[in-house]
Amino acid sequence: MSVSEWSLLVGVCVSGVLALGPWMFMVHAKLAVLASQVTALCRKVDKTSEIHDRLWAVHAQHEAKLETHNVEIAQIGERLRDLMG
């Protein structure tokens, strides 16, 4: 290859890099923003999951207490019937 062919090839390559460079930086910036938003969303989902687990535990405790109260009320009702009858 002659010098003029090499200079033409180098010119085309440099022009291509200069044309694609800003676009690549823009895409990289958008990907960085998306990655940060996905990270924030993952944190929110993890926090929501922890809160959800705690609420289910509280719900289970309250349900057990209600069941205990229902049994106690039934026993009190039976005692009252025995005393009245």
Side-chain angles (χ1 to χ4, degrees):
M1 287 178 72
S2 69
V3 174
S4 65
E5 291 174 339
W6 276 107
S7 65
L8 180 65
L9 182 64
V10 168
V12 168
C13 290
V14 168
S15 296
V17 168
L18 291 176
L20 291 177
W23 175 81
M24 289 172 51
F25 282 115
M26 180 189 65
V27 169
H28 183 269
K30 287 182 179 181
L31 288 175
V33 169
L34 286 174
S36 111
Q37 289 175 346
V38 166
T39 302
L41 182 62
C42 285
R43 285 188 197 127
K44 286 180 184 178
V45 167
D46 289 342
K47 186 176 180 180
T48 303
S49 177
E50 290 173 8
I51 292 170
H52 182 263
D53 290 343
R54 277 189 265 140
L55 287 175
W56 270 110
V58 169
H59 172 74
Q61 290 173 350
H62 286 222
E63 190 173 354
K65 286 180 183 178
L66 284 174
E67 191 61 36
T68 302
H69 290 304
N70 285 339
V71 169
E72 290 174 354
I73 289 171
Q75 289 174 350
I76 290 171
E78 288 177 17
R79 288 184 201 162
L80 280 175
R81 276 187 240 119
D82 289 344
L83 289 175
M84 298 295 225

